[in-house]
Amino acid sequence: MIDAAVEQLLLEDPKSYVIPADIVANVTATNTLEHALMVLSKVGYTRIPVLSADDHLQGLLALSAVTNSLLQVPGAAVDQLSTVTVADVMSPVEHYVDDPRKLEKILNLLVDEPFLPLVDDQMVFQGIITRREILKRVNYLAHNLDRQFEVIPRVADTIDRS
Ligand code: AMP
């Protein structure tokens, strides 16, 4: 369980570590891989969410899935990707959160995931929580914990600052 003081500071402003949906690069399942490759190259990310036309989270698209698809046809050129859709190669969403306040889950999952999609109770995409944004919040915590809480060692002389 997360320490209550730590949780309180991290949760002071949950919105601060959510990148809102309107600025998250995404593709739709019906897009061609040619289009998806353009989006991925432009934004420079290796994995982005796949959304339906009504903004439901449907999957994740990895750059490696696009290049694998290209490499399956010997000598294929990029325009070959216009015959394949995102739906053909996207992966299912294994991990997501429906509440940015579920810190225990978020911190545990972000050990292995670079980002987590955030959805509402209807799976409508709300944004993402990235390792970077959480790390910024943890940085804030590291510098502000003793401004708001009195942190006293349980055993005397346990803090070695050498
Ligand atoms: P970061 O922690 O900023 O390196 O982001 C981790 C991952 O989150 C990136 O590699 C992307 O897969 C994803 N990501 C971050 N920001 C965006 C964004 N604005 N649009 C789409 N995906 C993003």
Side-chain angles (χ1 to χ4, degrees), residues 19 23-25 45 47-48 114-115 128 130-132:
I19 300 181
I23 58 167
V24 176
Y45 295 124
R47 210 156 53 121
I48 57 175
F115 75 92
I128 57 175
T130 63
R131 230 181 238 165
R132 181 178 142 84

Side-chain angles (χ1 to χ4, degrees), residues 51 54-57 97 118-127:
L51 306 183
D54 58 357
D55 290 336
H56 285 74
L57 180 64
V97 279
L118 174 69
V119 294
D120 69 9
D121 55 2
Q122 306 291 311
M123 283 303 277
V124 174
F125 183 65
Q126 306 294 307

Side-chain angles (χ1 to χ4, degrees), residues 11-140:
L11 284 178
E12 255 177 15
D13 185 11
K15 277 196 184 144
S16 69
Y17 53 81
V18 176
I19 300 181
D22 57 345
I23 58 167
V24 176
N26 65 82
V27 285
T28 59
T30 53
N31 283 152
T32 66
L33 288 196
E34 192 179 19
H35 173 80
L37 183 59
M38 268 171 22
V39 175
L40 285 164
S41 308
K42 193 172 167 205
V43 296
Y45 295 124
T46 52
R47 210 156 53 121
I48 57 175
V50 180
L51 306 183
S52 65
D54 58 357
D55 290 336
H56 285 74
L57 180 64
Q58 292 195 313
L60 295 172
L61 178 69
L63 179 60
S64 58
V66 180
T67 51
N68 280 344
S69 170
L70 190 61
L71 292 172
Q72 268 168 20
V73 184
V78 170
D79 59 4
Q80 191 86 23
L81 292 176
S82 62
T83 63
V84 188
T85 65
V86 168
D88 296 326
V89 303
M90 70 185 188
S91 46
V93 183
E94 284 177 26
H95 305 295
Y96 61 90
V97 279
D98 57 8
D99 182 348
R101 304 176 64 84
K102 289 184 178 170
L103 265 184
E104 186 88 46
K105 182 175 181 183
I106 292 168
L107 292 178
N108 281 323
L109 287 173
L110 283 181
V111 171
D112 293 315
E113 302 291 328
F115 75 92
L116 293 171
L118 174 69
V119 294
D120 69 9
D121 55 2
Q122 306 291 311
M123 283 303 277
V124 174
F125 183 65
Q126 306 294 307
I128 57 175
I129 298 173
T130 63
R131 230 181 238 165
R132 181 178 142 84
E133 294 307 315
I134 285 291
L135 209 48
K136 283 200 243 170
R137 198 72 208 153
V138 170
N139 192 21
Y140 170 81

